[in-house]
Amino acid sequence: MKLRTRYSLFILGLTTGSLLILSISLILLFENASAELNRLNVDDLKAELTERMLNRSQTISRQFAKNLSRPLYNYDYETILDLTNVTLANDEVETIHIFDLKNNYFGHSDGIADIFVSTEQVSKQLLQAVKRGMTYKEPSEDQLFIAQPVLVENRVIGGVEMLFSQTDVINEIKALGNKATERRIHKIFEFLNIALGITIALAIAVISVGDHIAKRLVQPIAKLVKFANDIGQGRYREHLSIKADDEIVALANTMNQMVANLEERSLRIQHLAYHDSLTDLPNRLFFSEILERWIDISYSHKKSFCLIFMDLDGFKRVNDTYGHELGDELIHHVSSRIKAQMSSVTQEDSDRQKPFLARLGGDEFVCVLEISSPAEAAHNATALIKMISQPYHILNFDIYISCSIGVAIYPDDGNTGSNLMKRADIAMYSAKNAGKNDFHFFSHEMDQQAHDRVALENELRIALSHNELGVWYQPLINLKDNSICGVEALVRWKNPVRGFVGPDVFIPIAEESGLILPIGDWIIETICQQLSQWEPHLKDDFHVAINLSPIQIRHSALEKTLLKAISSHRIKNDRIHIEITETALVENEAATLRTLSQLNQAGIKIWLDDFGTGFSSLSHLKQFPVSGVKIDRSFVADLEQDVDDRALISAMIVLANAMALDVIAEGIETETQCLLLNELQCPKGQGYFYSRPLPGDQLLDLYRWWPGK
């Protein structure tokens, strides 16, 4: 039965025999009380709904800002977009704008440009509040504007602006007020028509029963108010239950459905914040929290566990060769294999903590595993390497990939999450540097090496500005007439404390840190300047060979930098030769071919260094514009004793001649090696037998007085 019908029958039955005067008096009193109650109820409901809207909006905006912190810090565009779309699915959220204090995202073209705004587009008052880590609110009649700071480790890195609509709340308040007023007026007139029959005897009954009914009406409303407060404070677990069959029950059911939807969306947002979108594995943030729990549990139970840090070998090459779609599929397959391996560990001993696996990003995975000894950790690391290294068949391609693993053990290698992660990472890089497809346990020697490497990188950063780097030159000899036909340029670093630091030490650091680009530009400029000074003394066939890193070759500005330096110092293009390793050819072949073709068209010859030791095939010699090859010193070193090396060198020379390629033999250190290479008809060579690398002025003196000149 509807509420309106119940009220009508109740008043009709109680007022039948009432006295006319008493009935009219009661009606007047009822009218005044009803009007006041209606006003109070509408005001209270308006205040309650408005406050609830504000609380809910602040809760949504704070959660969104919290979830956004790591993706914004890590430039994780995909997760930022997912979080924004999920939040915009809330009908109350009209718009979302994100800004970072460095404006790194503004103007980005990866599908998120509409989300980000520049800090110049943000009001000064809002920006100041966000920078102080404060919430900024700007309510209006039908909208609510809220801005929240985005923090990483209590440091503000940006902010988020959210516009919430209050139209539904306002319309609901107006509708309820109008409906209550209409009902009140209708009830008064209805009660007036019936009140003529009310008797004095029934007055007491009317009062007593009315009081009872009032209590029955207030109780469900009070439940609704409490339920609304719980929702405003983010408590979605309770279910509102009212035993009746009227509009209040319908309102309660609607609010229950609303809460269910809010809870579902909140759980989805929370899941996105703590899980990797590609593999659905826990992400770095979630793993950090779980790792601390593992440490607490292991400490209290005096147990040990290992942290296994996995990094795929050659994943970038797969991405560059086959595309990111296949790369994503490969990551998904790898995660499935690791899950399967960890599942088998769980089945072996159900009493232990279940292994926890996460994807840190890119091709890095990490897991924690309870162990009884380091040997058990080694067994699991070996099993993971074997599992991951099995061939993959993806998108009609057979993919082969390996894995390098670093292992840190709690508590021997660290008693905090950050220490364990750092040391497992160090061990993983040790495994990579040792040849990959293997695992290494952390040792304190590795830690010292890592610290030394960081110190060396910092010193290398200032080496250019402090004039610590220099270019030295080693002669290239024409073996037929014993003349110097050119030189190979080699960079040298004289550190004021360490002395000379070998290129095999600092070049890999320069490549990993990105310093190879400014160092490479400086080397090119220095060589061109040196050549312009030497020009009056040089023969036409003299050239300088410059070694280029794969990173330089892939850099779009290489050709422009090189040709600009040649032009500014007025030297001939063919004075410059480029040396690249075979490995550089197979890394991003399309970009490498484009760069080398442009340089070759400009008259700059390309040499393939360390020939015979890399990954290239004969097809690369045909595909790329290579002018010559340099036979690696490892073949020349045993030339006198090893007939196989002699046969290999002979085959390389025959192959090069057949393809019209020039040949230089590296590492000539004895006269016998020189004679044997002449017998094999090797046209050119270099090595300590002729000269060690020399500074520019000494090299010029050597060239001018060289006996074969």
Side-chain angles (χ1 to χ4, degrees):
M1 184 181 293
K2 296 297 183 182
L3 186 61
R4 178 178 175 179
T5 305
R6 286 167 55 191
Y7 286 169
S8 299
L9 291 175
F10 166 69
I11 294 192
L12 179 63
L14 288 179
T15 58
T16 301
S18 299
L19 295 173
L20 181 60
I21 298 175
L22 181 58
S23 298
I24 295 174
S25 301
L26 291 175
I27 290 171
L28 293 175
L29 291 173
F30 174 77
E31 195 278 338
N32 291 331
S34 178
E36 182 64 16
L37 180 61
N38 177 59
R39 184 183 64 78
L40 293 174
N41 284 342
V42 170
D43 290 343
D44 290 345
L45 184 59
K46 179 178 180 181
E48 181 61 33
L49 290 176
T50 303
E51 181 63 22
R52 185 175 63 190
M53 172 65 184
L54 177 60
N55 290 338
R56 184 164 63 251
S57 300
Q58 290 191 139
T59 300
I60 292 173
S61 61
R62 286 197 191 101
Q63 183 65 38
F64 180 71
K66 179 180 178 182
N67 295 339
L68 190 66
S69 62
R70 289 296 173 182
L72 186 65
Y73 182 76
N74 293 325
Y75 301 96
D76 189 350
Y77 309 131
E78 183 178 355
T79 301
I80 292 173
L81 190 58
D82 288 345
L83 290 172
T84 303
N85 289 336
V86 169
T87 306
L88 283 172
N90 191 326
D91 294 336
E92 295 174 354
V93 181
E94 290 192 350
T95 61
I96 293 177
H97 286 122
I98 304 169
F99 61 91
D100 68 299
L101 297 184
K102 296 183 178 180
N103 289 327
N104 288 332
Y105 285 80
F106 181 63
H108 206 280
S109 59
D110 289 345
I112 61 172
D114 294 337
I115 301 173
F116 285 88
V117 297
S118 168
T119 53
E120 296 179 358
Q121 298 173 265
V122 179
S123 70
K124 292 183 179 180
Q125 186 178 3
L126 185 152
L127 191 60
Q128 289 175 357
V130 168
K131 286 183 176 180
R132 292 196 297 266
M134 298 170 60
T135 300
Y136 178 87
K137 293 180 291 186
E138 188 175 322
S140 63
E141 184 175 348
D142 57 352
Q143 289 180 322
L144 174 62
F145 179 84
I146 295 180
Q148 297 284 3
V150 178
L151 299 95
V152 172
E153 296 178 353
N154 295 323
R155 178 171 60 86
V156 178
I157 64 169
V160 58
E161 304 173 343
M162 301 181 71
L163 187 64
F164 293 85
S165 172
Q166 300 189 84
T167 303
D168 291 342
V169 174
I170 293 171
N171 291 339
E172 182 180 356
I173 293 171
K174 289 180 179 178
L176 289 174
N178 293 336
K179 185 178 292 185
T181 301
E182 291 175 3
R183 286 182 182 175
R184 179 173 57 82
I185 295 173
H186 181 78
K187 297 291 183 186
I188 291 171
F189 281 100
E190 187 178 41
F191 195 38
L192 280 172
N193 293 330
I194 300 172
L196 295 175
I198 295 178
T199 63
I200 297 175
L202 294 177
I204 298 174
V206 171
I207 295 174
S208 60
V209 174
D211 181 67
H212 175 71
I213 294 300
K215 290 181 179 179
R216 293 290 303 272
L217 291 175
V218 169
Q219 186 176 11
I221 294 176
K223 285 187 177 181
L224 285 172
V225 172
K226 182 180 183 302
F227 191 58
N229 283 330
D230 290 341
I231 296 173
Q233 296 176 15
R235 295 195 292 269
Y236 306 132
R237 298 295 182 183
E238 298 296 329
H239 183 80
L240 184 60
S241 177
I242 296 177
K243 295 180 179 180
D245 185 18
D246 53 30
E247 287 84 347
I248 294 179
V249 175
L251 178 59
N253 292 335
T254 301
M255 293 184 72
N256 282 328
Q257 183 61 44
M258 178 186 69
V259 168
N261 293 336
L262 284 174
E263 182 180 8
E264 181 182 352
R265 291 174 183 175
S266 178
L267 291 174
R268 175 61 178 162
I269 291 172
Q270 186 177 20
H271 184 83
L272 287 173
Y274 281 92
H275 287 78
D276 170 54
S277 59
L278 178 60
T279 63
D280 203 39
L281 288 173
N283 59 16
R284 182 185 295 269
L285 178 63
F286 194 7
F287 179 76
S288 298
E289 295 180 4
I290 295 299
L291 181 57
E292 294 300 333
R293 294 183 202 171
W294 270 70
I295 291 173
D296 292 340
I297 293 172
S298 300
Y299 176 79
S300 59
H301 291 82
K302 292 182 170 52
K303 291 185 176 182
S304 180
F305 68 85
C306 67
L307 191 154
I308 299 177
F309 196 115
M310 294 163 275
D311 186 275
L312 302 183
D313 301 325
F315 177 72
K316 185 181 185 304
R317 176 171 52 84
V318 172
N319 249 353
D320 292 341
T321 304
Y322 300 101
H324 290 281
E325 181 182 359
L326 187 143
D328 289 346
E329 281 295 316
L330 177 59
I331 290 294
H332 184 73
H333 281 69
V334 169
S335 69
S336 298
R337 291 189 182 183
I338 299 174
K339 287 178 188 176
Q341 181 61 33
M342 292 298 100
S343 178
S344 67
V345 173
T346 305
Q347 293 173 3
E348 292 174 1
D349 191 346
S350 58
D351 293 334
R352 292 184 175 183
Q353 289 192 77
K354 184 179 179 180
F356 190 81
L357 171 66
R359 181 189 179 207
L360 300 184
D363 58 348
E364 292 181 340
F365 297 85
V366 64
C367 71
V368 286
L369 181 69
E370 188 175 325
I371 58 171
S372 58
S373 68
E376 188 177 350
H379 170 75
N380 282 285
T382 302
L384 283 168
I385 291 174
K386 183 178 180 181
M387 175 76 78
I388 294 171
S389 300
Q390 298 297 318
Y392 300 83
H393 187 74
I394 304 173
L395 302 179
N396 295 323
F397 293 101
D398 291 322
I399 306 299
Y400 297 87
I401 200 166
S402 60
C403 176
S404 296
I405 289 179
V407 182
I409 297 178
Y410 172 87
D412 298 342
D413 296 331
N415 55 11
T416 66
S418 59
N419 276 345
L420 288 171
M421 284 285 288
K422 170 188 171 185
R423 290 171 176 177
D425 190 22
I426 290 172
M428 183 274 295
Y429 273 104
S430 174
K432 274 196 180 294
N433 293 333
K436 304 179 180 179
N437 197 30
D438 199 359
F439 72 91
H440 279 186
F441 282 95
F442 170 79
S443 68
H444 289 282
E445 290 78 8
M446 291 179 189
D447 195 22
Q448 184 59 47
Q449 290 172 3
H451 280 84
D452 290 344
R453 186 202 174 283
V454 171
L456 200 61
E457 179 181 331
N458 291 334
E459 293 172 21
L460 184 58
R461 289 185 181 277
I462 63 173
L464 266 179
S465 59
H466 288 195
N467 296 320
E468 297 174 14
L469 296 180
V471 178
W472 290 30
Y473 304 89
Q474 186 175 30
L476 305 175
I477 307 300
N478 187 324
L479 299 183
K480 294 179 181 179
D481 59 9
N482 197 39
S483 65
I484 297 178
C485 58
V487 293
E488 179 182 0
L490 302 166
V491 63
R492 292 292 183 263
W493 177 20
K494 187 176 182 181
N495 185 281
V497 177
R498 303 173 187 266
F500 278 102
V501 181
D504 58 324
V505 175
F506 72 84
I507 291 297
I509 294 176
E511 291 179 331
E512 293 173 13
S513 62
L515 293 172
I516 193 67
L517 294 176
I519 290 176
D521 292 347
W522 173 84
I523 291 173
I524 290 172
E525 179 67 23
T526 301
I527 290 171
C528 291
Q529 183 180 13
Q530 186 78 79
L531 269 172
S532 67
Q533 297 173 1
W534 288 348
E535 184 62 37
H537 310 284
L538 301 179
K539 294 194 298 182
D540 290 340
D541 66 343
F542 187 91
H543 67 274
V544 176
I546 305 175
N547 290 282
L548 290 184
S549 162
I551 298 174
Q552 292 174 273
I553 296 172
R554 292 195 299 268
H555 196 254
S556 59
L558 172 63
E559 181 196 11
K560 181 179 179 181
T561 300
L562 188 55
L563 294 180
K564 180 180 178 182
I566 290 174
S567 175
S568 64
H569 291 286
R570 299 181 180 181
I571 60 176
K572 295 184 293 184
N573 289 13
D574 58 6
R575 290 284 193 202
I576 299 294
H577 290 195
I578 296 299
E579 292 188 10
I580 61 172
T581 61
E582 295 182 68
T583 306
L585 295 182
V586 297
E587 293 185 6
N588 199 346
E589 290 187 12
T592 301
L593 177 60
R594 182 169 57 252
T595 300
L596 295 183
S597 297
Q598 291 170 345
L599 293 175
N600 185 63
Q601 290 172 6
I604 298 172
K605 292 185 177 181
I606 313 298
W607 285 78
L608 195 59
D609 199 8
D610 301 334
F611 185 65
T613 62
F615 301 102
S616 102
S617 62
L618 296 180
S619 63
H620 288 114
L621 290 177
K622 181 180 179 181
Q623 177 184 1
F624 288 88
V626 176
S627 300
V629 296
K630 298 188 73 174
I631 299 174
D632 187 71
R633 65 182 66 251
S634 61
F635 298 103
V636 177
D638 296 329
L639 183 61
E640 301 174 37
Q641 297 84 19
D642 196 328
V643 293
D644 291 336
D645 280 348
R646 203 174 307 171
L648 285 172
I649 291 177
S650 177
M652 292 180 197
I653 294 172
V654 170
L655 173 64
N657 290 335
M659 299 185 71
L661 299 177
D662 206 348
V663 180
I664 295 178
E666 296 181 298
I668 302 174
E669 297 186 357
T670 67
E671 184 177 5
T672 303
Q673 291 172 345
C674 178
L675 294 173
L676 289 172
L677 287 169
N678 258 315
E679 290 178 8
L680 296 174
Q681 297 184 346
C682 180
K684 297 175 183 177
Q686 71 180 103
Y688 287 176
F689 174 70
Y690 298 103
S691 173
R692 292 177 176 270
L694 299 170
D697 54 348
Q698 295 182 31
L699 187 283
L700 180 60
D701 290 340
L702 180 70
Y703 178 74
R704 294 172 64 185
W705 301 106
W706 185 258
K709 185 177 179 181

